Structure formats: C-alpha cells, structure tokens
Amino acid sequence: MPLYDQGPAWGVKSPILVLHFDGAIDAGVAGHIAVEQMRHALRTDRIATFHTDEFIDYRAHRPVLTVEDWVSTDLNMPEIIVERVDDDLGQPFLLIHGPEPDMRWEKFASHIRQIAEEAGVEITVSLHGVPAGTPHTRPAQVHIQATDSSLIPPQPQMMQPMYFPSPVSSFVQARLAESGIDGVALLGSVPFYMADRPYPAVSSAILRKLSELTGLALPVGDLERGAAEDIAALESFTEENPQIHETVQALETHYDALTGANGIAPLTSFSDDVTSVPHTETQNIGDVIEAYLANVTKNSADVTENAPSHSASQTDEESEPETETVEDVLRRLAHREAQKNSATLNIRHIPRHRADTHEPPPLPPSEQQM
C-alpha cells in the first residue's frame, strides 16, 4: 500500500521532478536555500505527504515542541512532502523536499517512482552544495553529474573518480534511471571556508542552471541581493586583514591556473586544492570568517535597534559599529572550541553535508539529554 497521503494537487502532470533533502551533501546549505526561495516566491500546492513513521528516525530529526507560558501549544513534526510548484510563467513542476529519510530507502525510491510515473516525469534534478577550493571572489560555478553521459554539457573532465557516501537523492535518481527516468545532479561549488554558513551566491547559481536545463522561469532576485551583501562583507574583511587576504589571493592564483578555456575550473576536493596554498593557516579561515560575519550581523542589528529617531548630531565615527580584529576572533574561537563539548549547550545547527564519516563520541549516559 502507498506510504503517503494524497493531497489536493494529486494528479498534476509534469516532465520535471526536483529533489532536495536536508541532512545530505549540501555545503553552504545551497540546495536548501534554493528550495526555500522557490517555495516562498512561487505558488505551491500539496501533492502528497509521506508517512513520517515509516522513514524518519525521530532521534535524528526530532519534532519541535513549542511551549508558551509553560504550556505545550504545538508539536511540529518533520515531513517529507511532494508539491506542485508553478514557475513565474505558470508552468508546473514537482518538488520533493524534507529531511533525508533514515531508513527504507528502497521502499522510498519505489514510491517516488510510482509518483513520478503517474505524473509523467521524464527527468529528475537534485540540488547540492559541494565544498571546493573556489574563492568567493570568482563567479559561483555549478557542475553537472548525471545518470547518462548524454545529459552532461561541456565541462572539465574529472581529474579522478570521486567516492563519497551517497545521499538519498542520488540513490533515488539511480533507481529511477533503471526505470527509464534519467537524473541530473547540480553540484554548486561553495568556498570551503563558507561551507558551514548559508551561501546564497551558489543557491542563485543553482537556480539559474536549473532554469537553463529545464526551461523553467525561476526567481533569483532575493538570492542575488543576499549574495551581493555577503560578498561585500567578505571583501571588506579580507582587505582589512592581511593574513586572510593572502589566503584568498593564493586560492585565486590556484583557481585561475585550473580554469580552462570555457571559464570553468574542475570540481576537486577542497583538501587537495588548499595543499598548494602557501604561507597560510587554512584550517582557521572558515571559523574566522564565520565569526566575523556573525559579528557584523549582530552589530548591524544592534545599531538598527538602538539608533535614535533623529541622529543628525551623531558623527560618522560614533554611528559605525565596532568590529573585532582577527586576534579577537581567534581568541573567541579558541574559547568556543574548549566549551563545545559541554552538555549544557543546546544549539540547533543548519543541516550540513555529511561527506565525512567521523562522528563525535557519544556523551556518557549520565550526561545524555532526553
């Protein structure tokens, strides 16, 4: 029996199915941001909702409980949803999104195949951010992986085979390809030092590539503005800090040397890329930039909240927020590193890639939280 409930848009026909699951490979949460941009800017209708108990381990994707004045008022359950989305011209396509299933992948893929065949799907597209040695000063790039070589446009050859734990989207695409429904994966290159922070520049590039491949009219304006703000903040930071500036310049030199005649650099492991970057401490650059951007965001919010309604007498020096130096950031990061294993911390992180297989050691039974 189907392990999903049909929604009001059941029966829609479309040759295009887009997939994205949180918790899989998605540096810079690039795929997640692209999905949310489409869902908020375009019309959506529910096609189906999968039975959560069949595919989700609640210890990995815990329901979110809302408590107001000591009263439990809401329990937000994780959902895997199939939606009809109409692009800017009214052309429909299917979108599957939600947390990555923890179990029964074969059964899950079988049900997606049934839905796809019922809807007349001819191609599936999955969205991913991949950490790479791409500097933020170069245009965001999107490489294409596919279940058939005829779907791959001109792009640099892979330097060597890549091996990584498969996300469920790739698993589903492989199973659907066995039934004649080919799949394409859009792999956006995210600067490795931005892999753990939202990076809308790659999300925007992914949506543009999706439009190019499928003919869909998709919104990217909000993402373009967010990307421009991030790049401006990064440019200001790197110019004021010689150590970070040197690192970025070395990445630029290495990247430009790899860029071919078509303006696209090969997609390689970021760890391979940064080994050729001299005189830098690349292991710290990501943490330093993340902390700087978080500090800029906080200071901007504080200034906006506390600014008086009439500030004509306020000088420019008094109105500018105070920012941290690299040394301040490194000291704070060292303190955070020392405290990160505290059982009292309860920080909800944005889903990130799981390309590495190293899991943190479990807490002792006496310190485990309920």
Side-chain angles (χ1 to χ4, degrees), residues 313-330:
S313 61
Q314 191 177 26
T315 66
D316 291 339
E317 291 183 357
E318 292 173 337
S319 62
E320 291 184 359
E322 180 181 353
T323 58
E324 297 173 301
T325 65
V326 172
E327 290 74 18
D328 293 334
V329 172
L330 287 173

Side-chain angles (χ1 to χ4, degrees), residues 153-172:
Q155 62 183 21
Q157 276 192 309
M158 294 180 64
M159 293 182 175
Q160 59 187 9
M162 296 173 63
Y163 303 93
F164 55 90
S166 171
V168 73
S169 53
S170 297
F171 181 89
V172 168

Side-chain angles (χ1 to χ4, degrees), residues 255-369:
Y255 175 88
D256 292 343
L258 291 175
T259 302
N262 57 4
I264 303 178
L267 179 62
T268 58
S269 167
F270 77 90
S271 60
D272 294 335
D273 288 341
V274 299
T275 54
S276 62
V277 178
H279 313 304
T280 59
E281 297 181 4
T282 56
Q283 67 271 21
N284 288 331
I285 183 174
D287 285 340
V288 172
I289 290 178
E290 178 185 359
Y292 169 78
L293 291 176
N295 186 63
V296 168
T297 302
K298 177 181 180 298
N299 283 331
S300 298
D302 290 345
V303 168
T304 301
E305 181 179 350
N306 298 323
S309 56
H310 299 285
S311 55
S313 61
Q314 191 177 26
T315 66
D316 291 339
E317 291 183 357
E318 292 173 337
S319 62
E320 291 184 359
E322 180 181 353
T323 58
E324 297 173 301
T325 65
V326 172
E327 290 74 18
D328 293 334
V329 172
L330 287 173
R331 280 194 294 271
R332 186 154 55 82
L333 289 170
H335 177 72
R336 186 176 72 179
E337 182 72 16
Q339 299 294 324
K340 71 178 182 179
N341 291 325
S342 172
T344 62
L345 293 179
N346 183 20
I347 302 174
R348 182 170 180 258
H349 294 285
I350 296 174
R352 55 168 293 179
H353 57 88
R354 292 180 183 170
D356 60 299
T357 57
H358 302 287
E359 297 291 338
L363 292 172
S366 61
E367 297 183 11
Q368 288 183 356
Q369 298 182 1

Side-chain angles (χ1 to χ4, degrees), residues 176-238:
L176 266 61
E178 296 171 356
S179 301
I181 302 176
D182 283 317
V184 170
L186 303 185
L187 310 175
S189 297
V190 177
F192 69 89
Y193 48 87
M194 295 298 294
D196 293 330
R197 179 182 175 85
Y199 195 66
V202 170
S203 305
S204 177
I206 286 175
L207 285 184
R208 290 197 302 271
K209 183 63 70 173
L210 179 58
S211 295
E212 177 186 325
L213 290 177
T214 62
L216 294 171
L218 301 174
V220 297
D222 293 340
L223 297 183
E224 296 285 6
R225 285 189 290 273
E229 292 171 0
D230 276 0
I231 296 301
L234 284 169
E235 287 295 332
S236 175
F237 178 60
T238 56

Side-chain angles (χ1 to χ4, degrees), residues 4-35:
Y4 53 82
D5 297 322
Q6 297 180 5
W10 181 264
V12 64
K13 304 293 182 182
S14 174
I16 303 165
L17 168 61
V18 178
L19 307 93
H20 178 77
F21 300 97
D22 294 327
I25 299 174
D26 196 23
V29 288
H32 176 87
I33 293 173
V35 167

Side-chain angles (χ1 to χ4, degrees), residues 120-188:
V121 169
E122 300 173 3
I123 188 74
T124 67
V125 185
S126 60
L127 317 176
H128 308 272
V130 180
T134 304
H136 68 273
T137 53
R138 297 296 183 263
Q141 294 187 354
V142 180
H143 292 75
I144 293 179
Q145 168 199 333
T147 57
D148 189 282
S149 60
S150 65
L151 298 171
I152 300 176
Q155 62 183 21
Q157 276 192 309
M158 294 180 64
M159 293 182 175
Q160 59 187 9
M162 296 173 63
Y163 303 93
F164 55 90
S166 171
V168 73
S169 53
S170 297
F171 181 89
V172 168
Q173 288 182 305
R175 289 292 182 255
L176 266 61
E178 296 171 356
S179 301
I181 302 176
D182 283 317
V184 170
L186 303 185
L187 310 175

